[in-house]
Amino acid sequence: MNPKSVVAIVLVLALVRAEPFRFDNYKVYRIKIEDDDQLFALKGLSTGPQQFEFMDEPKKSGEKVDLIVPPHLQRNFESLVSQKKMKIELAIPNLQNLIDRESPKDTAPASVEDFRWDQYYEIDIIHEWLYHLEALYDEVTVIKAGDSFEGREILGVNINRRPGVNPGIFIEANIHAREWITSASTTWFINQLLTASVAQSELRDLADNINWYIFPVINVDGYQYSREHYRLWRKTRSKQGYICTGVDPNRNFDVFWEKGGVGSADNMCEIMYAGPEAFSEIETRSLAEYVLSVQEDLNLYIAFHSAAQMLLMPWGHTEEQIPEYDNYLSILETAVAALTARYGTQYTYGSIYNTIYPASGSSADWAYHTLGIPSFTYEFRGENTETGEKYSYVAPPDQILPNAEEVLDSLIALIGRARELGYL
């Protein structure tokens, strides 16, 4: 039997339980891949619950990857490091401690009026809050981009104070289930738009003069599963074969898609499995259909991810540069400078392929290719800028506000530069 399939069986058995999977004394190491021998050794590790697990799969020499090491495999890991002469850094000493800080027991507000940004919420609470906003503000309309595999609604808001006049920006967040800080920062941003005062001139400008389409959680099934069962879950929750579950939704869009294509996997048990075909997932298919239904109103597309501290543009499937490369690079430079100014958080920027890793079938590439509009992908901070504590996408709640604030600074600058270049 394929070793990956064996791991998948372990995954199913480990997660058929009422209590969430625990990561007590699991360590996270940051590894610098210096040559192909090290890369192949890492790619050959068995991964999954109670096995090694990557925060992101290793793709190429020269990059850094974060590897989760369970306590019973610590000696195996140390032996591999010694044998392959790897350079490592202990990034997270105990993953469960970080998860416990991220998810305190009482996370439900007394009412949606008490919704705040020092904790992470269930998907139903987020959706209830969106409807609450619709009741409070005339310019807010709850919008739906279809239903998920498990029957949950995929909801967002349209905020538009000048219908028929304002240029449009689409924001999607939490397409990868485990990247909770993306949806938390997105709901904060929604609230800032709606409560901006006249004195907050730059923010008020965005609120008054942009037609916003904002979806805090695209992968609603995966997000809830990551809360209730397995914190590291990334994919959707569709059934794949007899033992595997889910597809990486950000490898599933119909843009230069191929099974097991660039930066994706063709093994249905792996976390970057691109699916049996493009748009196999109801979530990605429904999202694309909704975007196409409003494409005449859209001028920019933005995707929120974590946690590589990057701002990216197409392409992901090839190292070749897009025709608008210089203009887009100017937008990225302006946005990153504004982001760094507040707290000193360092971002890198450039094309997806050349800056983070090869990745085909992403929503940002699809939006650029299909709609012909600028599209950008944020990879939010993965460490506390002030203290240096690393947390990857398991961001403590006290990181929501500083992350959201610096991202908003960058959005103001990004939009300003896009306007100067005639995109808005």
Side-chain angles (χ1 to χ4, degrees), residues 316-327:
H317 74 287
T318 176
E319 63 183 344
E320 294 181 10
Q321 305 296 2
I322 59 175
E324 303 89 348
Y325 177 80
D326 289 340
N327 278 356

Side-chain angles (χ1 to χ4, degrees), residues 269-280:
C269 295
E270 294 192 22
I271 64 170
M272 290 188 182
Y273 176 51
E277 59 187 15
F279 285 145
S280 63

